[in-house]
């Protein structure tokens, strides 16, 4: 058999000349040659097209994860990945000056006044603002946008919760009254989810600001492919999974961008984003991992921006489930057993230590030198005081595939496990899918977990009151309520008082006191604040303003 | 043949009902709340928003009622609305499917183009260095993890050598061709946009070559085995004795018979490709059904999950049916058996 086949093989080449075989051969060769040449010419065309860089940059290309982007309708969106797109298209009432997030500056509104009771805000709108259809902006557009968001009852409608009334009080003036004091309200207005659209354009495509909006508004689909804003760019289209493209708004009231178009290219993998950046096919890579960002440091024509995310990664303890974890002394043991500085070696540039629930970039954050540091003898003493001198077992749940921005959750969980084992606390790690973890955390079913709190808006009131006893996080998720102890009651009172205090100094004193007490007796270990690491081409981009919510403001990019 | 095909298509209905039932029940059994997956942190703690969301998506009804509502809509051709994207699932599937079909189709073309000649060559040269080399190559192709090959391929051919374009279906600087089929290569040809066609084809090459390492490995081995079974047959000697050249004998007489089992594998492999390209689609930023399926699973998007499962079920069934029909074309015995209703 073997012999036969060998012979057959030989004969195949020794007798190639017969007519039918030649025809067959030529036919197959022709197909092969055609396909090969087609492929090679296609490759040559594509690569040479990319290699031939135009002298002037007409199109800025940004590699970014599409992530959880569900819609580009500013009144219906509430996802982490959307603000970068919304910020390019829409204006907000006020915004941040460049990369600073501790004060606000005019955007849609020129100036504003706040009543002494902190409940009434009067905004003078910028009369020069025009929407992308060329029509001037009016107070009615603000009223329409805010009402539409409220009545759509979508995931972002809570932004309108504190608003009692919105009224036009002049040709270019609007007055907003709040139900109760919200000391962060101006900061909240910077959110791209509080963008202002042209009422005329949105209404023309089925939008409404009426109370029936949840049932009757049909503009979401249109706003996913078009825009009705006054920002530096207009939405050209969004191809799911592929890219989102914007082009220059000819009616933009501010300084026009130095390029005509921005293509947000959806690239989920950090390594691929790096490759695209290094080869010069994109000018920004928005989602670098700490390892990749470190490897790019010092590389020719590449820069890395480290943007604080203002998010908090913490170890949370449910005070009601594991008997050992009901005792504040065991919480103390956990807090002091963790080597926070050692952890920084793991997340590298992808994070920085925090002193409490408020990351250092937020107003009223506890000074960083007051942060808890590892103290094993204190941890052991606390365990002994709690009646567990030899430690105890506990289950620590985390989301298996989760990245805290770009730091893997598994890396942090394993590190914490090792740290706690050192003082005798036997940690059984329980990795679960992220949606399952979130479901269980929100239902208060996890005895201990590692989780991340990302900001819904840049403001300390989106963090401290929620972590105070009875707050959204401490209460339902960790069963820590004011009646747990006198200290818990005190922290809750301090946090509440701070949210009602307009005087910044007094506010800070109250917040610091609450955080110090929380560090002492709270069921939390503050692990770190993730950083957003963004790569960019230094041979193309001169400067850009960054922000923890919209990462980079493409409208502020200055070219070399 | 028509009766046979109709009967097979009729059998699809109970299969699909079974698929919807199992998928529906399994997706509801997992301990994940879609509200959690879809709403932000503040929103999920807001009772009014949660209530409105549950009512909107029918999540307050009992499981059976939810299923019956779903089936009623399905029989009206409505696959429901995706909880995650807020668009009709059918619309989502239509927007994501073409990218996968294009990638999988091109991969199959490449695989067949590579593996059939290689398989024939290995069989004809059995036991020689050529055979050994082919077998080694196919083994590597089958054994190498796709994600590793994809990363290595991108690193080498795109990043270092620059001979293929980067990830995506098209250069960011080009606009997609006017949509007819959703396949960029076909649509750009129809629109006579040659530059776009070249660019789309170039973007297809690396991901499909990488996918083809696995499929071509499988197909080459199958072709070789099948050819080895056919080559000793007496009718080939008859052909040779009539003066046919060796190449003609192999291509005209041996190969068609050896291809029957290969066709089965091509069908199965095509089905696998449609469902198994998640990693490649993620690494190559390819907006296909694999990525849609992955996101639907992550965000507990039940309507999308069921829609995708249905599409996969239908695809597998239709591909199998197609394979059976091709069988009949290739093998008169099967054709006769079908006509007699024996299958």
């Amino acid at each position: 058999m073997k012999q036969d086949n060998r012979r057959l093989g030989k004969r195949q080449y020794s007798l190639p000349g017969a007519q039918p075989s030649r025809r067959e051969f030529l036919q197959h060769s022709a197909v092969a040659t055609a396909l090969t040449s087609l492929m090679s010419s296609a490759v040559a065309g594509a690569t040479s097209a990319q290699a031939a860089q135009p002298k002037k940059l007409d199109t800025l290309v940004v590699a970014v994860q599409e992530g959880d982007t569900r819609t580009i309708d500013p009144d219906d969106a509430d996802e982490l990945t959307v603000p970068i797109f919304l910020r390019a298209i829409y204006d907000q009432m006020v915004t941040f000056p460049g990369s600073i997030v501790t004060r606000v500056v005019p955007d849609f509104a020129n100036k504003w006044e706040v009543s002494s009771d902190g409940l009434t805000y009067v905004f003078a709108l910028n009369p020069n603002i025009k929407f992308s259809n060329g029509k001037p902006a009016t107070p009615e557009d603000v009223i329409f946008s805010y009402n539409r968001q409220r009545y759509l009852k979508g995931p972002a409608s809570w932004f309108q919760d504190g608003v009692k009334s919105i009224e036009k009080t002049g040709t270019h003036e609007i007055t907003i009254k709040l139900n109760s004091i919200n000391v962060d309200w101006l900061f909240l207005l910077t959110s791209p989810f509080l963008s202002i659209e042209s009422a005329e354009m949105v209404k023309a495509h089925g939008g409404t600001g009426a109370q029936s909006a949840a049932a009757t508004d049909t503009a979401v689909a249109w706003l996913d492919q078009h825009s009705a804003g006054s920002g530096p760019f207009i939405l050209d289209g969004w191809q799911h999974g592929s890219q989102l493209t914007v082009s220059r708004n000819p009616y933009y009231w501010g300084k026009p961008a130095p390029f005509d178009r921005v293509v947000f290219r959806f690239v989920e993998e950090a390594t691929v984003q790096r490759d695209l950046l290094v080869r010069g096919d994109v000018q920004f890579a928005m989602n670098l991992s700490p390892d990749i960002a470190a490897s790019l440091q010092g590389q020719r024509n590449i820069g890395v921006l480290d943007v604080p995310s203002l998010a908090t990664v913490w170890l949370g303890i449910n005070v009601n489930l594991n008997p050992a974890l009901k005792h504040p002394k065991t919480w103390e043991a956990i807090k002091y057993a963790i080597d926070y500085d050692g952890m920084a070696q793991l997340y590298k540039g992808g994070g920085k230590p925090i002193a409490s629930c408020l990351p250092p970039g937020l107003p009223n954050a506890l000074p960083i030198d007051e942060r808890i540091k590892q103290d094993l003898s204190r941890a052991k003493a606390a365990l002994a005081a709690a009646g567990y001198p030899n430690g105890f077992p506990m289950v620590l749940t985390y989301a298996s595939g989760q990245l805290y921005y770009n730091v893997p959750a598994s890396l942090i969980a394993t590190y914490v496990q090792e740290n706690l084992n050192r003082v005798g606390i036997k940690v059984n790690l329980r990795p679960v899918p992220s949606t399952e973890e979130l479901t269980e955390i929100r239902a208060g079913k996890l005895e201990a977990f590692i989780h991340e709190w990302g900001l819904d808006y840049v403001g300390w009131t989106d963090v401290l009151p929620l972590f105070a006893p009875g707050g959204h996080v401490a209460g339902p998720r960790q069963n820590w309520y004011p009646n747990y102890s006198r200290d818990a009651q005190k922290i809750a009172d301090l946090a509440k008082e701070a949210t009602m205090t307009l005087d910044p100094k007094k506010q800070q004193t109250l917040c610091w006191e609450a955080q110090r007490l929380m560090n002492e007796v709270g069921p939390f270990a503050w692990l770190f604040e993730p950083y957003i690491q963004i790569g960019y081409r230094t041979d193309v981009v001169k400067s850009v303003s960054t922000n923890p919510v919209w990462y980079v403001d493409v409208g502020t990019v200055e070219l070399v | 043949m028509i009766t046979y095909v109709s009967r097979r298509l009729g059998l699809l209905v109970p299969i699909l009902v079974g698929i919807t039932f199992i998928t529906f029940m399994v997706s509801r059994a997992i301990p994940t709340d879609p509200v959690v997956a879809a709403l932000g942190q503040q929103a999920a703690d807001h009772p009014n928003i949660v209530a409105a969301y549950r009512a909107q998506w029918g999540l307050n009804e009992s499981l059976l009622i939810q299923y019956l509502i779903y089936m009623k809509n399905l029989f009206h051709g409505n696959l429901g609305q995706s909880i995650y994207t807020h668009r009709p699932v059918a619309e989502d599937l239509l927007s994501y499917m073409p990218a996968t079909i294009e990638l999988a189709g091109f991969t199959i073309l490449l695989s067949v183009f590579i593996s059939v000649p290689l398989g024939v060559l290995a069989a004809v040269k059995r036991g020689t260095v050529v055979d050994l080399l082919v077998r080694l190559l196919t083994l590597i192709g089958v054994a190498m993890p796709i994600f590793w090959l994809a990363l290595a391929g991108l690193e080498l051919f795109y990043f270092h050598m620059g001979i293929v374009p980067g990830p995506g279906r098209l250069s960011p600087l080009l606009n997609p061709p006017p949509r007819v089929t959703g396949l960029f290569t076909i649509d750009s040809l129809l629109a006579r946009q040659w530059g776009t066609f070249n660019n789309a084809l170039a973007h297809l090459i690396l991901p499909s070559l990488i996918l083809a390492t696995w499929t071509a490995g499988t197909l080459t081995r199958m072709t070789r085995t099948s050819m080895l079974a056919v080559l000793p047959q007496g009718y080939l000697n008859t052909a040779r004795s009539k003066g046919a050249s060796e190449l003609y004998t192999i291509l005209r007489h041996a190969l068609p018979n050896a291809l029957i089992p290969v066709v089965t594998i091509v069908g199965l492999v095509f089905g696998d490709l449609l469902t198994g390209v998640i990693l490649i689609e993620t690494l190559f930023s390819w907006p296909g059904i694999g990525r849609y399926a992955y996101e639907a699973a992550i965000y507990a998007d039940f309507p999308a999950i069921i829609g995708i499962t249905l599409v996969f079920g239908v695809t597998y069934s239709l591909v199998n049916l197609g394979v059976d029909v091709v069988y009949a074309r290739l093998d008169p015995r099967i054709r006769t058996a079908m006509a007699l209703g024996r299958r």
Side-chain angles (χ1 to χ4, degrees):
Chain A
M1 185 73 157
K2 195 175 173 185
Q3 280 284 330
D4 279 354
N5 284 318
R6 286 169 72 99
R7 194 161 47 82
L8 274 171
K10 251 186 192 169
R11 274 165 57 185
Q12 182 184 345
Y13 290 94
S14 60
L15 294 168
Q19 276 303 318
S21 64
R22 177 183 284 174
R23 198 159 52 234
E24 291 281 342
F25 176 78
L26 287 175
Q27 279 170 355
H28 287 279
S29 304
V31 172
T33 313
L35 189 55
T36 313
S37 60
L38 194 59
M39 281 162 54
S40 45
S41 67
V43 169
T47 46
S48 65
Q50 287 182 350
Q53 289 285 331
K55 277 183 185 168
K56 179 179 168 289
L57 187 86
D58 295 324
T59 303
L60 185 83
V61 188
V62 179
V64 62
Q65 290 175 345
E66 188 176 29
D68 57 358
T69 303
R70 179 181 53 80
T71 175
I72 314 295
D73 180 344
D75 297 331
D76 193 42
D78 186 28
E79 287 77 24
L80 197 65
T81 45
V82 192
I84 189 174
F85 313 127
L86 291 179
R87 180 68 195 150
I89 306 165
Y90 295 97
D91 281 314
Q92 292 77 43
M93 198 70 109
V94 291
T95 192
F96 292 115
S99 301
I100 296 161
V101 292
T102 47
R103 64 188 171 90
V104 297
V105 292
D107 196 14
F108 209 86
N110 252 347
K111 51 185 178 178
W112 55 89
E113 281 175 17
V114 187
S115 65
S116 57
D117 61 2
L119 293 175
T120 305
Y121 289 71
V122 180
F123 293 95
L125 305 186
N126 182 343
N128 299 323
I129 291 184
K130 285 182 179 173
F131 286 109
S132 57
N133 61 354
K135 303 272 180 74
T138 64
E140 282 82 2
D141 296 306
V142 182
I143 296 171
F144 172 82
S145 303
Y146 287 5
N147 277 343
R148 182 170 178 263
Q149 181 176 55
R150 173 195 294 262
Y151 296 123
L152 272 180
K153 294 181 185 163
S157 61
W158 63 269
F159 275 101
Q160 301 296 337
D161 273 358
V163 178
K164 188 177 175 186
S165 64
I166 313 176
E167 280 173 38
K168 177 182 173 180
T169 45
T171 320
H172 292 291
E173 188 183 275
I174 195 159
T175 300
I176 301 182
K177 288 187 176 165
L178 302 184
N179 288 316
S180 56
I181 291 177
N182 183 344
V183 294
D184 270 340
W185 202 63
L186 280 173
F187 285 79
L188 190 130
L189 290 183
T190 63
S191 169
F193 301 121
L194 284 163
S195 294
I196 295 152
E197 314 101 64
S198 151
E200 183 190 332
M201 290 170 82
V202 178
K203 278 180 185 171
H205 295 91
T208 172
Q211 288 192 17
S212 60
T216 55
D217 186 286
T218 54
V220 177
W222 185 79
L223 285 165
D224 278 350
Q225 297 299 333
H226 308 85
S227 56
S230 55
F233 297 98
I234 303 170
L235 177 62
D236 288 336
W238 171 30
Q239 296 160 271
H240 308 293
S242 182
Q243 62 191 36
L244 184 146
T245 312
V246 297
S247 58
R248 204 200 316 258
N249 174 7
Y251 298 103
Y252 182 52
W253 55 278
K255 188 183 171 192
F259 34 82
D260 301 331
R261 233 165 51 116
V262 183
V263 175
F264 294 98
R265 189 68 185 255
F266 301 138
V267 181
E268 302 300 311
E269 277 293 307
T271 49
V272 181
Q273 287 199 7
R274 176 207 54 196
D275 290 355
L276 287 163
L277 181 73
V278 173
R279 282 195 59 81
D281 288 337
V282 301
Q283 284 75 50
F284 281 98
M286 302 299 304
N287 312 96
L288 300 179
S289 66
D291 282 339
I292 288 175
S295 75
L296 287 175
Q297 296 285 1
Q299 193 152 334
R300 197 166 161 261
N301 293 335
I302 304 289
V304 176
L305 301 163
D306 292 319
V307 184
S309 69
L310 302 186
T312 302
V313 177
W314 86 104
L315 185 155
I317 296 160
N318 190 313
V319 306
N320 255 357
L321 296 176
N322 183 334
L325 291 174
K326 289 183 177 177
H327 202 299
K329 278 287 174 191
T330 57
W331 312 343
E332 185 182 323
I334 289 170
K335 281 184 246 184
Y336 282 92
I338 296 171
D339 179 5
Y340 302 93
D341 292 331
M343 191 180 289
Q345 306 297 317
L346 285 184
Y347 53 69
K348 297 178 183 163
K352 288 205 173 152
I354 42 177
S356 180
C357 56
L358 294 180
L362 278 177
N364 301 334
L366 199 60
I368 194 68
D369 54 10
E370 289 194 38
R371 73 184 199 270
I372 290 176
K373 290 185 181 171
Q374 189 187 38
D375 183 343
L376 292 179
S377 47
R378 182 166 175 177
K380 283 176 184 163
L383 277 177
Y388 296 96
N390 300 317
F392 58 88
M394 64 179 262
V395 178
L396 182 65
T397 305
Y398 68 97
S400 49
Q402 178 88 34
L403 295 174
Y404 303 130
Y405 284 79
N406 295 310
V407 179
S410 54
L411 192 71
I412 301 301
T414 315
Y415 191 74
V416 168
Q417 180 191 37
E418 279 173 16
N419 285 179
L420 298 188
N421 280 353
R422 258 186 247 170
V423 292
I425 302 172
K426 303 275 177 290
V427 175
N428 293 314
L429 287 182
R430 180 173 167 261
V432 295
S434 58
T435 45
E436 191 176 327
E437 181 234 23
L438 205 47
T439 305
E440 291 181 346
I441 286 181
R442 283 179 176 168
K445 287 182 179 170
L446 299 178
E447 64 178 65
F449 55 84
I450 296 179
H451 198 67
E452 177 189 47
W453 181 261
L455 289 179
D456 295 287
Y457 58 90
V458 177
W460 66 271
T461 55
D462 192 37
V463 188
L464 183 61
L466 315 186
F467 281 87
H472 281 317
V473 175
R477 290 165 168 84
Q478 299 188 215
N479 269 309
W480 195 46
Y481 288 96
N483 61 4
Y484 187 82
S485 65
R486 266 199 298 188
D487 285 332
Q489 183 65 57
K490 191 176 177 193
I491 296 167
D493 292 343
L494 285 167
K496 192 173 177 190
E497 196 185 341
T499 59
M500 306 296 285
T501 302
L502 294 172
D503 175 34
K505 276 242 160 179
K506 197 177 168 202
Q507 199 186 79
Q508 187 182 64
T509 308
L510 292 164
C511 288
W512 281 12
E513 204 180 333
Q515 288 170 86
R516 283 178 186 134
L517 205 50
M518 220 188 267
N519 281 0
E520 215 175 297
V521 298
F524 316 98
W526 313 113
L527 300 180
F528 69 103
E529 175 195 11
Y531 266 52
I532 306 150
Q533 293 186 289
I534 299 166
Y536 70 104
R537 296 287 308 190
T538 53
D539 54 342
V540 180
V541 176
K542 188 161 77 181
S543 66
V544 65
S545 72
T546 58
N547 182 278
V549 176
W550 49 83
Y551 304 170
V552 299
D553 190 344
V554 290
T556 66
V557 170
E558 297 275 359
L559 299 181
V560 170
Chain B
M1 175 68 90
I2 292 169
T3 321
Y4 171 76
V5 172
S6 319
R7 202 170 62 234
R8 286 283 301 269
L9 285 177
L11 272 174
L12 257 182
V13 176
I15 291 174
L16 294 182
V17 171
I19 288 175
T20 57
F21 186 77
I22 293 170
T23 319
F24 195 90
M25 294 305 160
V26 169
S27 60
R28 295 301 200 273
I30 55 170
T32 294
D33 185 351
V35 170
V36 163
L39 294 180
Q41 301 182 114
Q42 287 271 15
D45 284 329
H46 205 295
N48 292 342
I49 297 176
V50 171
Y53 188 84
R54 287 195 174 282
Q56 188 185 354
W57 301 105
L59 298 171
N60 290 324
E61 304 292 344
S62 74
L63 208 57
L64 191 66
I65 298 290
Q66 285 184 44
Y67 179 67
L68 290 176
I69 292 172
Y70 180 79
M71 288 310 287
K72 187 183 147 205
N73 288 333
L74 187 63
F75 280 115
H76 287 92
N78 179 1
L79 284 168
Q81 204 168 8
S82 159
I83 292 177
Y84 179 56
T85 68
H86 283 205
R87 286 187 302 274
V89 171
E91 197 180 291
D92 273 348
L93 290 172
L94 277 177
S95 85
Y96 284 103
M97 271 306 273
T100 302
I101 290 175
E102 188 167 43
L103 182 60
F106 197 71
T107 302
I108 284 291
L109 269 181
L110 268 183
S111 309
V112 172
F113 182 70
I114 294 167
S115 59
V116 171
L118 272 186
V120 171
L121 188 65
V124 170
K125 296 253 180 191
R126 188 188 179 190
T128 64
V129 178
V130 177
D131 182 24
L132 261 177
L133 205 65
V134 169
R135 279 196 288 163
L136 186 69
L137 279 176
T138 57
L139 193 67
I140 292 171
V142 173
M144 279 290 192
I146 287 285
F147 73 91
W148 184 86
L149 276 178
L151 278 174
L154 270 173
E155 193 72 16
L156 184 66
F157 298 115
Y158 164 65
F159 184 58
H160 286 294
M161 298 168 73
I163 56 171
V164 293
R169 290 180 79 188
L170 212 55
S171 160
L173 307 179
L174 289 174
N175 289 322
R179 187 183 167 114
V180 180
T181 61
L183 311 183
F184 282 1
T185 44
I186 308 278
D187 288 353
S188 54
L189 280 180
L190 291 174
R192 293 165 188 263
Q193 296 177 350
W194 311 120
T196 309
F197 171 76
N198 269 353
N199 199 279
L201 188 64
H203 277 84
L204 267 171
I205 287 168
L206 189 59
S208 49
L209 264 179
I210 285 161
L211 276 172
T213 53
W214 176 74
T215 49
T218 312
L219 289 177
T220 307
R221 292 172 80 83
M222 196 64 206
T223 311
R224 179 182 174 275
T225 312
S226 191
M227 277 298 283
L228 285 179
V230 171
L231 283 176
Q233 301 285 332
Y235 66 86
L236 295 185
N237 284 334
T238 312
R240 286 184 198 113
S241 65
K242 285 181 167 179
S245 74
E246 190 56 35
L247 187 58
Y248 183 80
T249 309
I250 288 168
L251 292 181
R252 183 71 188 87
H253 295 287
L255 189 58
N257 286 309
L259 276 184
I260 293 175
V262 177
V263 168
T264 317
I265 300 292
V266 170
L268 291 176
V269 160
F270 188 72
D272 280 349
L273 277 178
L274 285 185
T275 56
V277 293
I278 294 175
L279 281 170
I280 290 289
E281 288 186 351
T282 304
L283 285 169
F284 281 90
S285 304
W286 203 266
I289 197 83
R291 273 184 60 189
Y292 182 56
Y294 172 76
E295 277 163 12
I298 290 289
Y299 291 99
D301 188 351
F302 300 139
I305 290 170
I306 301 169
I308 292 159
T309 317
L310 271 178
V311 166
F312 287 168
V314 171
T315 308
Y316 255 98
S317 305
L318 290 182
V319 166
N320 270 323
L321 179 61
V323 165
D324 287 351
V325 172
V326 173
Y327 261 10
R329 287 284 307 155
L330 290 175
D331 190 342
R333 288 169 303 181
I334 297 171
R335 204 153 53 226
T336 317
M338 278 183 184
L340 294 173
R342 283 190 206 141
R343 292 190 70 202

